[in-house]
Amino acid sequence: MTLMAEEDLLVEKPQKLSSYLTRSLLAVAFLASFGSSMLYGYNLAVVNSPAQYIKEFYNETLVEIYDWAPDEEILTLLYSVTVSIFAIGGMCGALLVGRLVTKYGRKGTLVRSSVLVFIGALMMGFSRGCRMPAMVIFGRFITGVHSGISLSVVPMYLGEIAPKNLRGFLGLVPSIHICLGVFTAQVLGLHELLGKRDHWPMLLSLIVFPTLVQLLLLPWFPESPRYLLIEKGNVHATIEALTWFRTKGNIQAEVEEMQEEQRSLSSVETVSVRSLLTDRCVRWQVITISVVNISMQLSGIDAIWFYTNEIFKDAGIPDPSIQYTTVGTGAIEVISGMLGCFTIERLGRRPLLIGGFLFMGFCCIGITVSILYQTELPFMRYISVGCVIGIIAGFCIGPAGVPFLITAELFKQSHRPAAYTVAGCLNWLSNFTIGFVFPFLEVATGPFCYLIFCAICWGVAVYTIFIIPETKNKTFMEISQMFATKNDILKEELSTSSILKMAMINGYGALVEKKEEVRR
């Protein structure tokens, strides 16, 4: 493309920066989420239905190979390792995010990491035929590594390709797919489908199909324009990528905003996690992403998911109907996620976080009260079911997706990979901790353990009210400046006005210098 053609791309159709949700944006959002985020939700729920069959497989193979019949406690321990190793893999994957996205880009990382899904799926799929329980555990670990990478990279990629007025909508598309993955695993795990003794390896390995679709189509889409311009300095590729994703509107203002951010950075090199944690200019941003990502798991949602069947059983629902009731909760998750996705640009990030956590806190109190009085008042058992559904719905509307979105919004390009590494590690570590600690916590405190979750939910809601600003329709530079006062720094330290003041079209740095040389 010639220099004049690049200028034409910047100035054609001089209308307001596109607020349109183009086909390209929608396609890449659904494609990236379908082959990555959906697998996270699927892997969370897929082991619930065949739990007994997996234990029986472990028992059979240990007897065959070692002539040793383990007791129920050993089998439960092996199954617990099978479930929790996914979170350990996720934490390992989160630690790799910073280096991968810096070296390969956002889209490039998603494409390359898909090979992990095929390796993990093959190990789990052939584990029964090979009579090797370790293949199930290692397969879960490898798929966990993939989920740890994609859970951070997908929101980062979508946050960087979206115009600021659509960042919230596209940022919650992955959370919808997480809910959809949970729902899909619940449906396929029904006894009438793949929830049978001979079919559980196939159920675990079906993850290859969404990833295959992503692997075939995603490479045809452009890389993140912000990555191409700010980190690679490729103006030509940036303009082409923006033109692909926008198709309508004047992209000049968006390129200018990217260059403003690029010139405000003391270095375009990606900062390390250590540098991020010691940088006083982003102190409150780091505290904020730590609070919201830890609270996602410590809100008790994982404990609720884990004990849903038990609560429904206590409510008097017949055992054959419990699996269908659980599928119903999965459908509510999907609907709630879609509700949050379509309202976030109207209501903003803060209302969804505040409302979601407050509502979850009230439902936690409802569960505590209903458990305490369900013997005297039988109808309280059904209130337990309603509160469980309420917690799941409240979580999926806001707290499920907003933390990943604002992790992208609160940091500039140089700090974003390290921020996602920190957020991802805290998220996965909290996930593992609550899954490991909750059974002991429940034994020690009984139904009052849900009051602990209530306190956490309300504490985060209060933190959001007083600390987290509304980031809707704000540029990344504007959001950084909003935190300047909290971080006790001057706005001038974030940017130098003499550098940031640029002309509209004739101030594009290297692009303009080349034009001047041609004219001479």
Side-chain angles (χ1 to χ4, degrees):
M1 181 182 293
T2 64
L3 200 63
M4 291 301 294
E6 288 182 353
E7 182 176 342
D8 291 339
L9 280 173
L10 286 171
V11 299
E12 70 174 350
K13 300 178 183 178
Q15 56 191 26
K16 185 179 179 180
L17 182 62
S18 174
S19 62
Y20 305 98
L21 182 61
T22 63
R23 292 181 179 178
S24 299
L25 275 175
L26 196 59
V28 76
F30 277 91
L31 185 61
S33 303
F34 179 72
S36 298
S37 302
M38 189 172 128
L39 303 189
Y40 167 70
Y42 186 88
N43 283 308
L44 280 179
V46 73
V47 290
N48 293 331
S49 175
Q52 188 58 40
Y53 302 140
I54 293 175
K55 290 181 182 179
E56 291 176 2
F57 167 65
Y58 288 168
N59 182 65
E60 292 170 2
T61 51
L62 289 174
V63 171
E64 291 174 6
I65 298 174
Y66 300 105
D67 195 23
W68 172 55
D71 56 25
E72 187 63 29
E73 291 184 0
I74 297 296
L75 292 176
T76 300
L77 176 62
L78 288 173
Y79 177 74
S80 298
V81 171
T82 304
V83 174
S84 60
I85 199 70
F86 180 72
I88 300 298
M91 189 166 58
C92 294
L95 289 171
L96 301 174
V97 167
R99 291 185 178 182
L100 291 176
V101 297
T102 301
K103 183 175 182 179
Y104 299 115
R106 284 57 167 155
K107 183 199 73 174
T109 298
L110 289 177
V111 173
R112 287 172 172 82
S113 64
S114 61
V115 68
L116 296 173
V117 177
F118 293 98
I119 295 173
L122 287 174
M123 293 185 72
M124 293 185 292
F126 289 102
S127 59
R128 193 167 185 266
C130 296
R131 312 302 290 171
M132 293 183 64
M135 292 177 66
V136 181
I137 297 175
F138 281 115
R140 288 277 295 172
F141 174 80
I142 293 173
T143 55
V145 174
H146 173 264
S147 290
I149 295 172
S150 62
L151 204 62
S152 294
V153 178
V154 172
M156 188 189 307
Y157 182 42
L158 298 184
E160 292 182 3
I161 68 174
K164 63 183 181 180
N165 58 315
L166 290 176
R167 236 172 19 228
F169 175 82
L170 292 182
L172 290 194
V173 170
S175 68
I176 293 178
H177 281 80
I178 292 173
C179 298
L180 187 61
V182 172
F183 178 65
T184 303
Q186 291 169 342
V187 171
L188 293 177
L190 292 173
H191 296 312
E192 293 81 356
L193 298 177
L194 297 179
K196 301 177 182 179
R197 186 185 307 274
D198 297 334
H199 293 163
W200 64 264
M202 183 187 302
L203 181 64
L204 297 183
S205 60
L206 284 179
I207 53 178
V208 297
F209 293 104
T211 306
L212 182 61
V213 173
Q214 183 191 75
L215 188 60
L216 291 175
L217 298 180
L218 189 60
W220 297 97
F221 288 85
E223 181 56 81
S224 160
R226 306 188 75 85
Y227 172 79
L228 292 172
L229 179 62
I230 298 177
E231 297 189 36
K232 294 300 182 181
N234 192 333
V235 179
H236 174 80
T238 301
I239 295 173
E240 282 194 332
L242 280 174
T243 305
W244 177 286
F245 286 126
R246 301 295 182 263
T247 70
K248 296 180 181 180
N250 187 349
I251 64 174
Q252 173 181 310
E254 196 163 356
V255 175
E256 183 177 76
E257 185 264 321
M258 292 183 198
Q259 290 197 325
E260 179 182 350
E261 180 179 342
Q262 181 187 38
R263 298 186 183 197
S264 72
L265 300 174
S266 58
S267 171
V268 294
E269 294 293 329
T270 302
V271 303
S272 65
V273 171
R274 181 178 180 180
S275 299
L276 175 77
L277 298 177
T278 57
D279 188 351
R280 71 185 183 92
C281 294
V282 293
R283 181 189 305 140
W284 276 103
Q285 289 97 311
V286 172
I287 294 173
T288 296
I289 66 166
S290 300
V291 169
V292 295
N293 278 278
I294 291 175
S295 64
M296 279 183 64
Q297 308 300 336
L298 298 189
S299 64
I301 185 64
D302 285 331
I304 292 295
W305 274 330
F306 188 77
Y307 284 93
T308 298
N309 287 358
E310 182 177 324
I311 294 174
F312 288 161
K313 186 175 182 179
D314 292 340
I317 297 175
D319 288 345
S321 302
I322 288 179
Q323 61 173 342
Y324 303 107
T325 308
T326 303
V327 169
T329 64
I332 292 173
E333 290 179 41
V334 176
I335 295 172
S336 301
M338 294 181 65
L339 180 62
C341 186
F342 285 102
T343 58
I344 189 169
E345 291 300 351
R346 292 179 178 271
L347 301 178
R349 285 66 160 150
R350 294 176 76 249
L352 291 186
L353 271 182
I354 295 169
F357 278 118
L358 286 177
F359 186 68
M360 290 173 69
F362 281 115
C363 290
C364 285
I365 293 177
I367 291 179
T368 301
V369 173
S370 60
I371 292 176
L372 287 174
Y373 293 101
Q374 65 181 1
T375 304
E376 294 84 358
L377 303 172
F379 72 89
M380 296 296 283
R381 295 180 178 181
Y382 297 96
I383 293 180
S384 294
V385 176
C387 289
V388 167
I389 294 174
I391 288 177
I392 293 173
F395 179 77
C396 292
I397 288 176
V402 174
F404 297 112
L405 171 62
I406 65 173
T407 300
E409 292 183 327
L410 297 187
F411 294 90
K412 293 186 287 188
Q413 195 77 11
S414 58
H415 293 67
R416 197 169 295 129
Y420 267 103
T421 298
V422 172
C425 286
L426 291 175
N427 194 302
W428 285 101
L429 183 61
S430 301
N431 184 316
F432 176 79
T433 300
I434 198 66
F436 184 79
V437 170
F438 180 74
F440 303 99
L441 184 65
E442 188 181 37
V443 170
T445 61
F448 295 102
C449 64
Y450 295 100
L451 296 182
I452 300 175
F453 298 141
C454 173
I456 293 172
C457 289
W458 286 357
V460 177
V462 171
Y463 179 90
T464 304
I465 292 172
F466 289 102
I467 300 297
I468 303 180
E470 180 54 67
T471 57
K472 182 179 70 173
N473 288 334
K474 299 290 193 303
T475 67
F476 293 115
M477 281 297 297
E478 290 171 342
I479 295 169
S480 294
Q481 291 171 354
M482 290 164 65
F483 274 92
T485 303
K486 290 184 176 66
N487 291 322
D488 296 326
I489 60 174
L490 299 174
K491 291 185 179 181
E492 286 75 8
E493 293 184 51
L494 293 175
S495 60
T496 305
S497 59
S498 60
I499 294 178
L500 297 181
K501 299 296 183 182
M502 297 181 292
M504 290 300 289
I505 197 66
N506 294 324
Y508 279 100
L511 187 63
V512 130
E513 292 174 5
K514 291 179 182 178
K515 286 175 62 178
E516 292 297 331
E517 290 177 3
V518 171
R519 289 173 182 173
R520 289 172 188 167

